[in-house]
Every structure is written in C-alpha cells, then in structure tokens.
Amino acid sequence: MAGAQSDVELFGHVIDGEEITAGDGPGFDSVDPYTGRPWARFPLGSGAEADLAVDAARRAFDSGPWPRMSRSERRAILHRLADLVLENRRDLALADTRDMGKPVSQSLNKDVPRTAENLRFFADHAALTPAELYPSDTGHHAYTRYEPAGVVVAIAPWNFPLMLASWKIAPALAWGNTVVLKPAEDSPASVTILARLALEAGMPPGVLNVVHGYGPDSVGSALTGHARVDRVTFTGESATGTAVARAAATHLTPVSLELGGKGANVVFADADIDQAVEWSARAAFTNAGQVCLAGSRLYVHRSIAEEFTRRLCGAADLLVPGDPKDPATLLGPLSSGEHHRKVSGYLDSVAEWGGTVATGAAGPGLFVRPTVVTGLPKEAPHRNEEVFGPLVTVTPFDTEDEVVAEVNDSPYGLNAMLFTEDLSRAHRVAASLRVGTVWVNCFFVRDLRAPFGGVGRSGLGREGGTYSREFFTEPKAVVVRVGEDPGADGAA
Ligand code: NAD
C-alpha cells in the first residue's frame, strides 16, 4: 500500500482495487520541475501489468455489478466521487502542481472543480438522456439501446493531468464501461489519488484501474494494441495519435483521438480592444502555454496591430515566475528539462528567421517568460508548429478573406478565437474556419454538451455530451412487431 519513504511519496498501480507500489521492482520518480527534486515514486509497468489491468477490467465488465447497475446507482457513486474530489482538492491540486509545475491557483481553483463537474455532468447525462424511439402505427416500433462498449483504455497527457483524465473516464464510467487509465509518466500522481477515491466512493474493484509506465514499447503500446479492449480514447501529440491509431487498428478497436493544436486568434479592427488583449494573453500564456487550445498564432488587423502588440506585451510582463505552490503565482515552470529545451530552441531561432522578440525570454531555471514575437515569415516553424510553451506570434492582416485563408492554412484544426463586435462577421468567419471549436469574444469557455475535438492533425472524432455517448456505447436497435404486418413499414 501507499506510504511515505524519506520525503518521497509512494504511489502504485491501482489494479482490481489493490494498490501495488514499486517495492524492489522497477520504478520511476516524478521530479518537481520547480525544485528539481523527485517528490514521488511509481512502479514502472510493462506488458504484464497492462495484461493484469485489462484482465481486471474485463472481469469487472463481463461479470461484475458495474455495467448491470441501474444508471441511477452509477450516478450516485459518480456524484460521491465528485464530492470526494472536492473534499480532497488540496492533495489532488498539489499532486499536479508538483508533477508538472502548474500554478496551484490553476490546479486548485480550475482543474479540480472541473474534474468534479465532469464527473457530475456525465453521471447526469447518462442517467437523464432519453434514447430515440421510432414509432410506427402499422408495423413495428424501433428504439435505440445504448449498451456500454466494454473495456475502455484511456491514455492521458501531462498538461491537465487530472482534468483531462476525468474528461475521458467520467463518460466511460457513466455509461457502464470499465476503464484502464494510463496517465503520462510526467504526471501520474493525481489520477492515482482519484482511483483511491473511486474505491472509497463505492466503485467496485476493477472498474477503474490505473497503470503507470511509458508509451512506446511499454504500458502505453501494450494497452492500445490489446486484443481484449473495446475502446481506446487518447489525448496527446498528433504523432503519438498516429501510433495509437495504428496499434488499435490491429484489432479494429475504435479510437477517439484528441491531438495537438495551433490555435489561431483573430482580432478585427472593430474588437473591444481591452477585452481582446486580456483574452489573448490568457489564450497564449495560461498554464505557461502548455495547452492544446493555446492561441499561439495571433492575427491582428494592421490598423491596430502596433498598439495591440504593445498592450499584449504589457499583459505578458505582468506574469512573473514564481513558486507554483504559492497561491499568488500565475506563471509556473515548464513541465520538465526536456520540454524546456524544446521551447527554448524556438526562442533561440527567432532572430535567425528574421523575427523580433518584443518581450519574453527563457529562464530562470525551467521557466520561460511569456514571449511575444513579431515579424516572422509565414514559413517560420514558430508560426506552424505546436510550440507548447508561452510563445505567441503576432501577424498583421488586411482583409477578412486573407485572414480566413491564413487560419485554415494549417495541418492542425483544433480551435480558433475571433474578436469582433460585428455580429454578422462573427457568424460568417466562424462558419468558414476549418476547426473543431470557434470562440467568439472569449476563450476556453466549455459547454460540456457541445462537441469537442479537432480536424486534420488535431484529432479524430468528438467527445462531450451525446458525442461521448456515441463513442463509449454500442448503440443497438431493437425492433418490436406491433401490427399484423411488420413489413408494412418496409422489411429489408
Ligand atoms: P504524448 O503524445 O507525448 O503523450 C501522451 C500520452 O501518450 C502519455 O501518457 C504517453 O505516455 C502516451 N504514449 C506515448 N507514446 C505512446 C504510444 N506509442 N502508445 C501508447 N501511448 C503512448 O503527449 P504529451 O506530451 O503528454 O501531451 C502534450 C500533447 O497533447 C500536445 O500535443 C497537446 O496539444 C496534446 N493535447 C491535446 C488535447 C486535446 O484535447 N486535443 C488536450 C491536451 C493535450
């Protein structure tokens, strides 16, 4: 069982209701990017642990109570879990903050409440959403049953470790599936706590399992290519998504992929500039820019570009590095040394591409100061690749058509933001963008009923509301003869 060893906390796999720490076996540490010291130790799983977890989830699905409970019983347990998440909010928030450097102001006040909200929303949605009925007066009635799909493998990234995992497991569980969750190796603690809380909430053993380890040639690939798994839901980089889809295709396992992005943010000349500056800074620098939805490509109408850039730099400079465990801190370090090297590389090459750093810099330590870059040519990697750090490029534009073409000229298509006071323009431009979500005069506002996902390299499929239901269930048609001649309505 979990416990303390010196000042490093021990966490384990949670399989079939038991927590298994590394003991004398292989393990890995989570390093706090602010202190540079390991703070938690995890067992390093392999194909063997993936098998154990899938077997546990399989048993819990095939013969356990979870899929056979009434929806209201499952709903009650998921609501109890949401209550426990809020009661344990400090531990959960600090786990993410220590694992990957996210300011506790974000993890405590945003990610943990949103995790509870995900659990409640999908619990209610599954319990309350009616199914379709196709009545006929003469021949038959047909209706849809939403059967749980089976064993769901959920693979999560490190940038919103708890919240994004809950976005996947909440609908999967609410619809009666059992789950094997693999968190990112950089941020494995909070979901381990979540799995402990699920047992405390009354979820039967084997329903929510967590296994720790790496992706390729490790737990990740063992799970995604597993023969006894019914769904794979993945959030992470686009290149990894391709590997996951390939592995899942071996057994024709359906996949849902939420992948990388290069969010475009368009500010028209008629925008409310105060609001646009505030939202644009938030879109570019929240979570140190380590957000798939980050507004990292900013297009500003030429007539206001200079003033806008100056004010954006002012907003960027207000975000100063601090201890992420301090509630006043708004800018934490990047998640790891490796990621810091990647992001710093983009800063180092700005001049080489002919651009100017209007504000920002790498350091100290694993921090990157919020960075605004101007003057880069269209082909510069900063304008095309997912930097996943607090770096935003500013590009002036002249016409609506020109900027729409620019935004759409990207392999990614996760999201875009528009700032304009012209209602017709807002609808027109929103309709013409090739992305999964368009925010008008706001950013990051989520309606959990709405579809969420991306086009192109940003993903495959949608999750949220009924879209999650479609993925995590096997819809079944039941056709009941009611008339003398069922063929009256058209037999096959
Ligand atoms: P990543 O792809 O490196 O890793 C994600 C997860 O996949 C980790 O748990 C990792 O261990 C696992 N993994 C890696 N290789 C694997 C393999 N071959 N088989 C199975 N699993 C494997 O991504 P990351 O660095 O953790 O996260 C950042 C990325 O996630 C960014 O590209 C970001 O845009 C994206 N992201 C997308 C969304 C979205 O909703 N679209 C949300 C958050 C993050």
Side-chain angles (χ1 to χ4, degrees), residues 156-455:
W158 51 260
N159 60 336
F160 289 84
L162 179 69
M163 191 280 277
L164 282 176
S166 72
W167 171 248
K168 298 183 170 307
I169 65 177
L173 293 172
W175 285 102
N177 300 285
T178 59
V179 172
V180 179
L181 169 66
K182 193 203 90 61
E185 52 273 31
D186 285 337
S187 59
S190 58
V191 297
T192 312
I193 300 173
L194 185 71
R196 295 173 189 160
L197 296 177
L199 292 166
E200 194 180 328
M203 201 172 285
V207 171
L208 174 59
N209 306 277
V210 174
V211 273
H212 298 292
Y214 304 126
D217 305 319
S218 180
V219 170
S221 53
L223 288 173
T224 51
H226 208 289
R228 282 152 54 79
V229 159
D230 301 293
R231 293 287 186 277
V232 173
T233 171
F234 170 81
T235 301
E237 282 187 11
S238 301
T240 317
T242 306
V244 167
R246 198 176 287 128
T250 316
H251 302 290
L252 284 182
T253 312
V255 288
S256 168
L257 303 175
E258 299 191 330
L259 306 178
K262 189 68 183 170
N265 179 6
V266 182
V267 182
F268 289 95
D270 61 15
D272 175 332
I273 301 295
D274 292 342
Q275 288 281 317
V277 168
E278 197 184 317
W279 283 110
S280 299
R282 224 183 275 183
F285 306 133
T286 295
N287 207 25
Q290 301 166 124
V291 182
C292 54
L293 303 159
S296 58
R297 289 191 285 159
L298 181 52
Y299 298 95
V300 186
H301 192 267
R302 197 175 300 280
S303 63
I304 57 166
E306 208 178 304
E307 186 203 343
F308 192 91
T309 306
R310 190 174 42 73
R311 292 180 60 178
L312 181 67
C313 289
D317 293 344
L318 292 176
L319 298 170
V320 291
D323 181 347
K325 291 187 287 307
D326 179 341
T329 295
L330 296 176
L331 181 75
L334 299 194
S335 63
S336 67
E338 189 187 337
H339 189 53
H340 189 265
R341 274 189 294 284
K342 179 193 150 193
V343 174
S344 306
Y346 283 98
L347 262 81
D348 293 345
S349 64
V350 167
E352 182 182 312
W353 280 95
T356 304
V357 175
T359 192
L366 296 189
F367 287 90
V368 171
R369 304 287 298 244
T371 300
V372 178
V373 179
T374 59
L376 282 171
K378 190 171 165 38
E379 59 282 7
H382 317 68
R383 281 181 56 179
N384 298 290
E385 296 170 8
E386 186 180 40
V387 175
F388 223 53
L391 186 153
V392 60
T393 60
V394 185
T395 307
F397 70 90
D398 294 299
T399 68
E400 186 181 305
D401 286 350
E402 173 200 346
V403 79
V404 166
E406 275 274 354
V407 172
N408 284 341
D409 187 15
S410 169
Y412 294 105
L414 192 56
N415 64 301
M417 282 78 70
L418 309 178
F419 291 89
T420 177
E421 295 295 295
D422 178 337
L423 190 60
S424 302
R425 190 207 300 274
H427 287 293
R428 191 169 61 236
V429 176
S432 58
L433 296 179
R434 217 182 121 266
V435 296
T437 299
V438 178
W439 277 291
V440 180
N441 295 332
C442 62
F443 167 66
F444 229 17
V445 179
R446 292 292 306 283
D447 184 324
L448 303 186
R449 297 166 299 182
F452 181 79
V455 301

Side-chain angles (χ1 to χ4, degrees), residues 13-18 20 45-60 151 178-180 205-211 219 222-223 226 228-229:
H13 307 296
V14 180
I15 299 177
D16 215 4
E18 296 293 323
I20 310 151
S46 64
E49 283 74 21
D51 282 344
L52 280 178
V54 171
D55 285 350
R58 194 74 264 167
R59 276 194 307 277
V151 173
T178 59
V179 172
V180 179
V207 171
L208 174 59
N209 306 277
V210 174
V211 273
V219 170
L223 288 173
H226 208 289
R228 282 152 54 79
V229 159

